[in-house]
PDB file of all heavy atoms in Angstrom:
ATOM      1  N   PRO B  37      41.941 -51.155 -11.794  1.00 97.00           N
ATOM      2  CA  PRO B  37      42.348 -51.571 -10.446  1.00 97.00           C
ATOM      3  C   PRO B  37      41.560 -50.915  -9.307  1.00 97.00           C
ATOM      4  O   PRO B  37      41.228 -51.610  -8.336  1.00 97.00           O
ATOM      5  CB  PRO B  37      43.845 -51.213 -10.396  1.00 97.00           C
ATOM      6  CG  PRO B  37      44.277 -51.328 -11.825  1.00 97.00           C
ATOM      7  CD  PRO B  37      43.108 -50.790 -12.612  1.00 97.00           C
ATOM      8  N   PRO B  38      41.224 -49.620  -9.357  1.00 98.00           N
ATOM      9  CA  PRO B  38      40.441 -49.052  -8.251  1.00 98.00           C
ATOM     10  C   PRO B  38      39.077 -49.739  -8.055  1.00 98.00           C
ATOM     11  O   PRO B  38      38.638 -49.945  -6.924  1.00 98.00           O
ATOM     12  CB  PRO B  38      40.275 -47.575  -8.640  1.00 98.00           C
ATOM     13  CG  PRO B  38      41.469 -47.291  -9.497  1.00 98.00           C
ATOM     14  CD  PRO B  38      41.667 -48.563 -10.286  1.00 98.00           C
ATOM     15  N   THR B  39      38.425 -50.113  -9.152  1.00 97.00           N
ATOM     16  CA  THR B  39      37.149 -50.823  -9.037  1.00 97.00           C
ATOM     17  C   THR B  39      37.374 -52.208  -8.437  1.00 97.00           C
ATOM     18  O   THR B  39      36.592 -52.663  -7.600  1.00 97.00           O
ATOM     19  CB  THR B  39      36.455 -50.925 -10.406  1.00 97.00           C
ATOM     20  OG1 THR B  39      36.131 -49.608 -10.840  1.00 97.00           O
ATOM     21  CG2 THR B  39      35.186 -51.756 -10.330  1.00 97.00           C
ATOM     22  N   LEU B  40      38.444 -52.878  -8.834  1.00 98.00           N
ATOM     23  CA  LEU B  40      38.756 -54.190  -8.263  1.00 98.00           C
ATOM     24  C   LEU B  40      39.013 -54.070  -6.766  1.00 98.00           C
ATOM     25  O   LEU B  40      38.557 -54.904  -5.980  1.00 98.00           O
ATOM     26  CB  LEU B  40      39.952 -54.815  -8.974  1.00 98.00           C
ATOM     27  CG  LEU B  40      40.387 -56.183  -8.475  1.00 98.00           C
ATOM     28  CD1 LEU B  40      39.245 -57.199  -8.530  1.00 98.00           C
ATOM     29  CD2 LEU B  40      41.586 -56.677  -9.271  1.00 98.00           C
ATOM     30  N   ILE B  41      39.711 -53.030  -6.351  1.00 98.00           N
ATOM     31  CA  ILE B  41      39.965 -52.809  -4.920  1.00 98.00           C
ATOM     32  C   ILE B  41      38.641 -52.655  -4.177  1.00 98.00           C
ATOM     33  O   ILE B  41      38.436 -53.265  -3.123  1.00 98.00           O
ATOM     34  CB  ILE B  41      40.881 -51.582  -4.714  1.00 98.00           C
ATOM     35  CG1 ILE B  41      42.293 -51.911  -5.197  1.00 98.00           C
ATOM     36  CG2 ILE B  41      40.884 -51.140  -3.251  1.00 98.00           C
ATOM     37  CD1 ILE B  41      43.205 -50.699  -5.327  1.00 98.00           C
ATOM     38  N   ARG B  42      37.730 -51.863  -4.723  1.00 98.00           N
ATOM     39  CA  ARG B  42      36.423 -51.675  -4.074  1.00 98.00           C
ATOM     40  C   ARG B  42      35.629 -52.981  -4.038  1.00 98.00           C
ATOM     41  O   ARG B  42      34.949 -53.291  -3.053  1.00 98.00           O
ATOM     42  CB  ARG B  42      35.625 -50.577  -4.779  1.00 98.00           C
ATOM     43  CG  ARG B  42      36.160 -49.184  -4.523  1.00 98.00           C
ATOM     44  CD  ARG B  42      35.223 -48.093  -5.028  1.00 98.00           C
ATOM     45  NE  ARG B  42      35.011 -48.135  -6.467  1.00 98.00           N
ATOM     46  CZ  ARG B  42      35.808 -47.563  -7.365  1.00 98.00           C
ATOM     47  NH1 ARG B  42      36.886 -46.915  -6.981  1.00 98.00           N
ATOM     48  NH2 ARG B  42      35.514 -47.639  -8.653  1.00 98.00           N
ATOM     49  N   THR B  43      35.728 -53.772  -5.107  1.00 97.00           N
ATOM     50  CA  THR B  43      35.017 -55.057  -5.157  1.00 97.00           C
ATOM     51  C   THR B  43      35.553 -56.006  -4.098  1.00 97.00           C
ATOM     52  O   THR B  43      34.782 -56.645  -3.373  1.00 97.00           O
ATOM     53  CB  THR B  43      35.150 -55.678  -6.567  1.00 97.00           C
ATOM     54  OG1 THR B  43      34.568 -54.781  -7.519  1.00 97.00           O
ATOM     55  CG2 THR B  43      34.478 -57.028  -6.640  1.00 97.00           C
ATOM     56  N   ILE B  44      36.862 -56.101  -3.995  1.00 98.00           N
ATOM     57  CA  ILE B  44      37.469 -56.974  -2.977  1.00 98.00           C
ATOM     58  C   ILE B  44      37.078 -56.501  -1.585  1.00 98.00           C
ATOM     59  O   ILE B  44      36.720 -57.313  -0.718  1.00 98.00           O
ATOM     60  CB  ILE B  44      38.996 -57.031  -3.143  1.00 98.00           C
ATOM     61  CG1 ILE B  44      39.363 -57.747  -4.444  1.00 98.00           C
ATOM     62  CG2 ILE B  44      39.638 -57.730  -1.944  1.00 98.00           C
ATOM     63  CD1 ILE B  44      40.836 -57.642  -4.820  1.00 98.00           C
ATOM     64  N   ALA B  45      37.115 -55.209  -1.353  1.00 97.00           N
ATOM     65  CA  ALA B  45      36.747 -54.668  -0.039  1.00 97.00           C
ATOM     66  C   ALA B  45      35.298 -55.010   0.310  1.00 97.00           C
ATOM     67  O   ALA B  45      35.000 -55.369   1.460  1.00 97.00           O
ATOM     68  CB  ALA B  45      36.966 -53.155  -0.016  1.00 97.00           C
ATOM     69  N   ALA B  46      34.411 -54.929  -0.664  1.00 96.00           N
ATOM     70  CA  ALA B  46      32.996 -55.255  -0.413  1.00 96.00           C
ATOM     71  C   ALA B  46      32.844 -56.729  -0.056  1.00 96.00           C
ATOM     72  O   ALA B  46      32.078 -57.077   0.857  1.00 96.00           O
ATOM     73  CB  ALA B  46      32.151 -54.904  -1.639  1.00 96.00           C
ATOM     74  N   TRP B  47      33.544 -57.604  -0.770  1.00 97.00           N
ATOM     75  CA  TRP B  47      33.478 -59.030  -0.437  1.00 97.00           C
ATOM     76  C   TRP B  47      34.048 -59.287   0.953  1.00 97.00           C
ATOM     77  O   TRP B  47      33.515 -60.108   1.706  1.00 97.00           O
ATOM     78  CB  TRP B  47      34.236 -59.860  -1.474  1.00 97.00           C
ATOM     79  CG  TRP B  47      33.466 -60.131  -2.723  1.00 97.00           C
ATOM     80  CD1 TRP B  47      33.601 -59.507  -3.927  1.00 97.00           C
ATOM     81  CD2 TRP B  47      32.445 -61.115  -2.907  1.00 97.00           C
ATOM     82  NE1 TRP B  47      32.725 -60.042  -4.842  1.00 97.00           N
ATOM     83  CE2 TRP B  47      32.001 -61.032  -4.238  1.00 97.00           C
ATOM     84  CE3 TRP B  47      31.861 -62.064  -2.069  1.00 97.00           C
ATOM     85  CZ2 TRP B  47      31.010 -61.851  -4.762  1.00 97.00           C
ATOM     86  CZ3 TRP B  47      30.872 -62.869  -2.590  1.00 97.00           C
ATOM     87  CH2 TRP B  47      30.454 -62.770  -3.907  1.00 97.00           C
ATOM     88  N   ARG B  48      35.130 -58.608   1.300  1.00 96.00           N
ATOM     89  CA  ARG B  48      35.710 -58.786   2.641  1.00 96.00           C
ATOM     90  C   ARG B  48      34.722 -58.344   3.714  1.00 96.00           C
ATOM     91  O   ARG B  48      34.584 -59.006   4.740  1.00 96.00           O
ATOM     92  CB  ARG B  48      37.026 -58.026   2.748  1.00 96.00           C
ATOM     93  CG  ARG B  48      38.147 -58.696   1.957  1.00 96.00           C
ATOM     94  CD  ARG B  48      39.441 -57.953   2.061  1.00 96.00           C
ATOM     95  NE  ARG B  48      39.881 -57.910   3.449  1.00 96.00           N
ATOM     96  CZ  ARG B  48      41.075 -57.527   3.833  1.00 96.00           C
ATOM     97  NH1 ARG B  48      41.962 -57.146   2.952  1.00 96.00           N
ATOM     98  NH2 ARG B  48      41.406 -57.507   5.109  1.00 96.00           N
ATOM     99  N   GLU B  49      34.043 -57.214   3.472  1.00 96.00           N
ATOM    100  CA  GLU B  49      33.028 -56.741   4.424  1.00 96.00           C
ATOM    101  C   GLU B  49      31.900 -57.752   4.577  1.00 96.00           C
ATOM    102  O   GLU B  49      31.290 -57.849   5.641  1.00 96.00           O
ATOM    103  CB  GLU B  49      32.461 -55.405   3.981  1.00 96.00           C
ATOM    104  CG  GLU B  49      33.365 -54.236   4.255  1.00 96.00           C
ATOM    105  CD  GLU B  49      32.698 -52.908   3.894  1.00 96.00           C
ATOM    106  OE1 GLU B  49      31.458 -52.792   4.019  1.00 96.00           O
ATOM    107  OE2 GLU B  49      33.443 -52.011   3.479  1.00 96.00           O
ATOM    108  N   ALA B  50      31.621 -58.503   3.512  1.00 95.00           N
ATOM    109  CA  ALA B  50      30.550 -59.509   3.550  1.00 95.00           C
ATOM    110  C   ALA B  50      31.015 -60.817   4.191  1.00 95.00           C
ATOM    111  O   ALA B  50      30.211 -61.738   4.326  1.00 95.00           O
ATOM    112  CB  ALA B  50      30.049 -59.773   2.134  1.00 95.00           C
ATOM    113  N   GLY B  51      32.291 -60.912   4.571  1.00 96.00           N
ATOM    114  CA  GLY B  51      32.761 -62.102   5.276  1.00 96.00           C
ATOM    115  C   GLY B  51      33.778 -62.948   4.549  1.00 96.00           C
ATOM    116  O   GLY B  51      34.206 -63.970   5.076  1.00 96.00           O
ATOM    117  N   ALA B  52      34.185 -62.541   3.358  1.00 97.00           N
ATOM    118  CA  ALA B  52      35.183 -63.340   2.628  1.00 97.00           C
ATOM    119  C   ALA B  52      36.549 -63.223   3.298  1.00 97.00           C
ATOM    120  O   ALA B  52      36.976 -62.127   3.660  1.00 97.00           O
ATOM    121  CB  ALA B  52      35.277 -62.881   1.178  1.00 97.00           C
ATOM    122  N   ASP B  53      37.202 -64.355   3.436  1.00 97.00           N
ATOM    123  CA  ASP B  53      38.560 -64.385   3.985  1.00 97.00           C
ATOM    124  C   ASP B  53      39.603 -64.267   2.879  1.00 97.00           C
ATOM    125  O   ASP B  53      40.750 -63.906   3.131  1.00 97.00           O
ATOM    126  CB  ASP B  53      38.808 -65.706   4.727  1.00 97.00           C
ATOM    127  CG  ASP B  53      37.836 -65.893   5.858  1.00 97.00           C
ATOM    128  OD1 ASP B  53      37.794 -65.028   6.745  1.00 97.00           O
ATOM    129  OD2 ASP B  53      37.108 -66.899   5.848  1.00 97.00           O
ATOM    130  N   GLY B  54      39.216 -64.620   1.680  1.00 95.00           N
ATOM    131  CA  GLY B  54      40.116 -64.582   0.537  1.00 95.00           C
ATOM    132  C   GLY B  54      39.316 -64.452  -0.731  1.00 95.00           C
ATOM    133  O   GLY B  54      38.084 -64.480  -0.712  1.00 95.00           O
ATOM    134  N   VAL B  55      40.021 -64.286  -1.838  1.00 96.00           N
ATOM    135  CA  VAL B  55      39.358 -64.167  -3.126  1.00 96.00           C
ATOM    136  C   VAL B  55      40.020 -65.084  -4.144  1.00 96.00           C
ATOM    137  O   VAL B  55      41.200 -65.401  -4.042  1.00 96.00           O
ATOM    138  CB  VAL B  55      39.378 -62.715  -3.670  1.00 96.00           C
ATOM    139  CG1 VAL B  55      38.631 -61.781  -2.738  1.00 96.00           C
ATOM    140  CG2 VAL B  55      40.787 -62.218  -3.895  1.00 96.00           C
ATOM    141  N   HIS B  56      39.222 -65.501  -5.101  1.00 97.00           N
ATOM    142  CA  HIS B  56      39.733 -66.208  -6.279  1.00 97.00           C
ATOM    143  C   HIS B  56      39.545 -65.237  -7.431  1.00 97.00           C
ATOM    144  O   HIS B  56      38.421 -64.900  -7.785  1.00 97.00           O
ATOM    145  CB  HIS B  56      38.954 -67.502  -6.527  1.00 97.00           C
ATOM    146  CG  HIS B  56      39.307 -68.129  -7.836  1.00 97.00           C
ATOM    147  ND1 HIS B  56      40.328 -69.022  -7.958  1.00 97.00           N
ATOM    148  CD2 HIS B  56      38.807 -67.937  -9.069  1.00 97.00           C
ATOM    149  CE1 HIS B  56      40.421 -69.382  -9.227  1.00 97.00           C
ATOM    150  NE2 HIS B  56      39.510 -68.727  -9.925  1.00 97.00           N
ATOM    151  N   LEU B  57      40.672 -64.752  -7.978  1.00 97.00           N
ATOM    152  CA  LEU B  57      40.590 -63.807  -9.084  1.00 97.00           C
ATOM    153  C   LEU B  57      40.595 -64.552 -10.405  1.00 97.00           C
ATOM    154  O   LEU B  57      41.530 -65.304 -10.693  1.00 97.00           O
ATOM    155  CB  LEU B  57      41.775 -62.843  -9.074  1.00 97.00           C
ATOM    156  CG  LEU B  57      41.819 -61.809  -7.965  1.00 97.00           C
ATOM    157  CD1 LEU B  57      43.066 -60.938  -8.116  1.00 97.00           C
ATOM    158  CD2 LEU B  57      40.571 -60.951  -7.965  1.00 97.00           C
ATOM    159  N   GLY B  58      39.572 -64.340 -11.193  1.00 97.00           N
ATOM    160  CA  GLY B  58      39.546 -64.878 -12.544  1.00 97.00           C
ATOM    161  C   GLY B  58      40.166 -63.844 -13.472  1.00 97.00           C
ATOM    162  O   GLY B  58      39.593 -62.783 -13.689  1.00 97.00           O
ATOM    163  N   LEU B  59      41.364 -64.126 -13.959  1.00 98.00           N
ATOM    164  CA  LEU B  59      42.069 -63.194 -14.834  1.00 98.00           C
ATOM    165  C   LEU B  59      42.009 -63.696 -16.274  1.00 98.00           C
ATOM    166  O   LEU B  59      42.304 -64.861 -16.534  1.00 98.00           O
ATOM    167  CB  LEU B  59      43.533 -63.054 -14.389  1.00 98.00           C
ATOM    168  CG  LEU B  59      43.744 -62.454 -12.998  1.00 98.00           C
ATOM    169  CD1 LEU B  59      45.182 -62.631 -12.551  1.00 98.00           C
ATOM    170  CD2 LEU B  59      43.346 -60.987 -12.990  1.00 98.00           C
ATOM    171  N   ALA B  60      41.661 -62.811 -17.190  1.00 97.00           N
ATOM    172  CA  ALA B  60      41.619 -63.162 -18.613  1.00 97.00           C
ATOM    173  C   ALA B  60      42.994 -62.877 -19.202  1.00 97.00           C
ATOM    174  O   ALA B  60      43.421 -61.734 -19.263  1.00 97.00           O
ATOM    175  CB  ALA B  60      40.552 -62.344 -19.320  1.00 97.00           C
ATOM    176  N   HIS B  61      43.680 -63.915 -19.634  1.00 97.00           N
ATOM    177  CA  HIS B  61      45.046 -63.740 -20.130  1.00 97.00           C
ATOM    178  C   HIS B  61      45.246 -64.484 -21.444  1.00 97.00           C
ATOM    179  O   HIS B  61      44.449 -65.339 -21.823  1.00 97.00           O
ATOM    180  CB  HIS B  61      46.055 -64.230 -19.082  1.00 97.00           C
ATOM    181  CG  HIS B  61      45.870 -65.669 -18.712  1.00 97.00           C
ATOM    182  ND1 HIS B  61      46.445 -66.694 -19.428  1.00 97.00           N
ATOM    183  CD2 HIS B  61      45.158 -66.255 -17.721  1.00 97.00           C
ATOM    184  CE1 HIS B  61      46.106 -67.852 -18.887  1.00 97.00           C
ATOM    185  NE2 HIS B  61      45.316 -67.611 -17.855  1.00 97.00           N
ATOM    186  N   ASP B  62      46.326 -64.140 -22.106  1.00 97.00           N
ATOM    187  CA  ASP B  62      46.647 -64.732 -23.404  1.00 97.00           C
ATOM    188  C   ASP B  62      47.702 -65.827 -23.314  1.00 97.00           C
ATOM    189  O   ASP B  62      48.159 -66.318 -24.337  1.00 97.00           O
ATOM    190  CB  ASP B  62      47.144 -63.641 -24.363  1.00 97.00           C
ATOM    191  CG  ASP B  62      46.084 -62.584 -24.630  1.00 97.00           C
ATOM    192  OD1 ASP B  62      44.894 -62.944 -24.692  1.00 97.00           O
ATOM    193  OD2 ASP B  62      46.453 -61.411 -24.758  1.00 97.00           O
ATOM    194  N   GLY B  63      48.123 -66.166 -22.132  1.00 97.00           N
ATOM    195  CA  GLY B  63      49.144 -67.198 -21.965  1.00 97.00           C
ATOM    196  C   GLY B  63      49.942 -66.951 -20.700  1.00 97.00           C
ATOM    197  O   GLY B  63      49.698 -65.971 -19.969  1.00 97.00           O
ATOM    198  N   PRO B  64      50.895 -67.825 -20.408  1.00 98.00           N
ATOM    199  CA  PRO B  64      51.652 -67.737 -19.144  1.00 98.00           C
ATOM    200  C   PRO B  64      52.331 -66.383 -18.918  1.00 98.00           C
ATOM    201  O   PRO B  64      52.272 -65.843 -17.813  1.00 98.00           O
ATOM    202  CB  PRO B  64      52.687 -68.851 -19.271  1.00 98.00           C
ATOM    203  CG  PRO B  64      52.101 -69.810 -20.246  1.00 98.00           C
ATOM    204  CD  PRO B  64      51.286 -68.990 -21.196  1.00 98.00           C
ATOM    205  N   GLY B  65      52.964 -65.837 -19.946  1.00 98.00           N
ATOM    206  CA  GLY B  65      53.642 -64.557 -19.772  1.00 98.00           C
ATOM    207  C   GLY B  65      52.687 -63.435 -19.419  1.00 98.00           C
ATOM    208  O   GLY B  65      52.973 -62.603 -18.552  1.00 98.00           O
TER     209      GLY B  65
END
Side-chain angles (χ1 to χ4, degrees):
T39 296
L40 180 56
I41 290 167
R42 288 190 298 275
T43 299
I44 293 170
W47 279 102
R48 287 180 61 168
E49 283 185 32
D53 300 302
V55 298
H56 171 89
L57 290 180
L59 296 168
H61 59 86
D62 298 324

